[in-house]
Amino acid sequence: MKQLLDFAFAQLTVCQKNNVTLTTLQIMAKGLQVSFAELLAGGKKVPEWAHRLDDNAIRKRLARIIDFERQRRTLHRYEMAELIGVAEATFTKLERASGNISVDTIAAIAKALKLNPATFLFSEKIPPTADLAVFDKVER
């Protein structure tokens, strides 16, 4: 399994120039029978709750992280867009957790915010999404 993850992560690294999207990653994870988080983190350890995230939950999480970091840094939206290197229209999509975000964009956001690109989406600093809390209640 570790070899498959390493191979998949290597493919993602090569494919980044082709803008692999979250939707494509979800398909890859399903095909490899690993969690979306495992594939996205490139084999780095992630919290147990992260293994239940799908591409939609990742978009929501990224939106929460961007908002958290923008408020923490007391930046206006246009300043945050500039900091992470995207157009304001793209920032609005990120903020609304809409659109099909590429791995390149996620990596660029992490780099601009000086966060670990493999694990920042799964940071305990931002609690798991409310969606997971609902999922946990239904599962019990």
Side-chain angles (χ1 to χ4, degrees):
M1 182 59 81
K2 171 95 169 87
Q3 289 174 326
L4 273 176
L5 283 175
D6 289 344
F7 174 76
F9 189 68
Q11 292 303 309
L12 288 176
T13 304
V14 170
C15 291
Q16 282 184 353
K17 293 177 182 147
N18 295 323
N19 273 334
V20 173
T21 63
L22 291 179
T23 301
T24 302
L25 281 182
Q26 181 150 321
I27 293 166
M28 288 175 68
K30 186 175 182 180
L32 291 168
Q33 297 181 342
V34 298
S35 75
F36 190 74
E38 279 179 282
L39 189 56
L40 194 57
K44 301 273 193 251
K45 187 169 174 49
V46 296
E48 192 57 39
W49 56 262
H51 294 285
R52 295 191 310 272
L53 299 174
D54 62 8
D55 61 330
N56 193 44
I58 293 291
R59 282 184 196 86
K60 289 178 183 176
R61 229 173 133 63
L62 183 61
R64 290 179 69 198
I65 289 167
I66 289 170
D67 186 55
F68 174 84
E69 288 294 328
R70 184 182 69 77
Q71 289 181 28
R72 186 178 74 79
R73 296 162 191 244
T74 62
L75 296 174
H76 294 283
R77 285 180 171 83
Y78 75 90
E79 292 171 315
M80 188 65 166
E82 188 176 298
L83 174 67
I84 63 176
V86 299
E88 284 186 61
T90 301
F91 181 77
T92 300
K93 285 182 182 179
L94 291 170
E95 218 178 18
R96 292 181 181 160
S98 63
N100 198 1
I101 303 164
S102 74
V103 172
D104 287 347
T105 301
I106 293 171
I109 290 168
K111 183 177 179 181
L113 299 177
K114 295 181 174 48
L115 300 171
N116 182 326
T119 59
F120 86 102
L121 289 169
F122 315 112
S123 168
E124 297 291 342
K125 191 188 307 184
I126 304 289
T129 62
D131 292 351
L132 286 179
V134 169
F135 178 80
D136 286 342
K137 287 178 186 173
V138 171
E139 199 173 67
R140 288 185 185 145

